[in-house]
Amino acid sequence: RRRCPVGVSSHRFARAVGLAGYPMLRSALVEGFEAMLAPVEKMRVRLREPGSVHDAFMAALDERQRNIAATRATLQAGECEAAVQAIVDAQRIHVLGFGASGWLAGMLQRCLEVHCDNVQLMTSVAGATQGARQLPRMGSTDLLIAICFPRYLTDTVLLTQRAHERGVRVLALTDGPQSPLVSAAHNCLFVQADSYHAANSDSTVLALIEALACAVALRTSDSVQDATRVTEAVL
């Protein structure tokens, strides 16, 4: 009985998805698994180090401080200025993020809607479908703010690329130049969000979101009046 040579089907599959061959496919798969397992491995290493509960508190807070310091060191004045100007100039702002970034997207939408007239959240109980439904109505006068960190959810990346193709201006909040959002973004703000116990440190991203909102408040002419109206409405 004849047998198919080992790896023939794998080579065909690799070529079908645009890779040179099976070795490249295997490398891509290994990288994917490493990214998925990285938080687990970091936690495993951390648990090997004995310490008290107080030590755990201090280590977590120290980690956040290091992340914020590293983020401050990499932020460029020009990128910060361009990000704020894009928000101020946009007729409509769409905020996108799924998974853990969905909560961060909600916080950004909450922070910006005080100072911007039309801020829409593309994340809902409908999942990626909600974002896809908004795409046909988006154009060059809109701004998409996409939030995406490892493990880089495909829905966020694809919707961002589709918005870019429609001529929508894109501002990415992500972890660095290696992020798949960078190629579709007009402006990027990078955040170091390392964490021993999770894929990313959400608190570090939230710190940047709050800083961005503060900068927008300073740039908008009616920020005090807007904040006053919101406060009065809540009261």
Side-chain angles (χ1 to χ4, degrees):
R1 185 172 54 180
R2 296 184 63 184
R3 299 179 60 185
C4 179
V6 176
V8 168
S9 59
S10 298
H11 277 290
R12 289 174 180 168
F13 178 78
R15 294 182 184 280
V17 297
L19 300 175
Y22 176 69
M24 187 175 291
L25 173 63
R26 181 175 57 189
S27 177
L29 290 172
V30 169
E31 289 178 3
F33 282 120
E34 286 178 346
M36 291 293 292
L37 294 174
V40 179
E41 290 304 313
K42 287 189 290 185
M43 182 178 290
R44 193 192 313 278
V45 171
R46 183 65 179 169
L47 291 176
R48 290 173 185 164
E49 303 174 4
S52 66
V53 169
H54 182 263
D55 291 338
F57 270 79
M58 295 302 103
L61 292 173
D62 288 343
E63 185 176 61
R64 273 61 182 174
Q65 285 185 326
R66 289 193 298 271
N67 282 337
I68 291 175
T71 300
R72 289 186 60 176
T74 58
L75 281 177
Q76 301 294 319
E79 284 294 332
C80 294
E81 183 72 26
V84 172
Q85 195 61 49
I87 291 172
V88 172
D89 291 342
Q91 290 188 8
R92 292 183 302 177
I93 300 169
H94 307 266
V95 185
L96 173 65
F98 294 109
S101 294
W103 302 98
L104 296 167
M107 289 300 299
L108 179 56
Q109 189 262 349
R110 181 177 181 271
C111 290
L112 291 181
E113 67 179 357
V114 177
H115 309 292
C116 304
D117 291 333
N118 196 335
V119 186
Q120 302 179 14
L121 188 62
M122 297 180 71
T123 304
S124 76
V125 293
T129 303
Q130 173 67 17
R133 288 169 63 90
Q134 292 186 30
L135 269 178
R137 299 191 298 272
M138 296 168 63
S140 59
T141 59
D142 293 343
L143 172 69
L144 172 66
I145 306 179
I147 306 174
C148 189
F149 289 83
R151 310 160 174 134
Y152 304 128
L153 293 184
T154 303
D155 289 336
T156 304
V157 176
L158 289 178
L159 284 172
T160 301
Q161 291 171 344
R162 297 296 179 270
H164 176 84
E165 292 167 2
R166 293 186 58 81
V168 179
R169 190 170 187 87
V170 175
L171 168 61
L173 306 187
T174 189
D175 61 314
Q178 74 282 356
S179 169
L181 289 189
V182 171
S183 61
H186 299 85
N187 305 104
C188 298
L189 296 177
F190 296 137
V191 186
Q192 178 167 309
D194 293 341
S195 174
Y196 275 113
H197 302 98
N200 302 286
S201 169
D202 294 340
S203 60
T204 312
V205 186
L206 180 57
L208 182 72
I209 286 173
E210 292 179 337
L212 178 60
C214 289
V216 170
L218 290 175
R219 182 55 59 86
T220 53
S221 58
D222 299 326
S223 58
V224 175
Q225 294 90 328
D226 291 338
T228 301
R229 284 194 292 267
V230 171
T231 302
E232 290 174 348
V234 172
L235 289 174

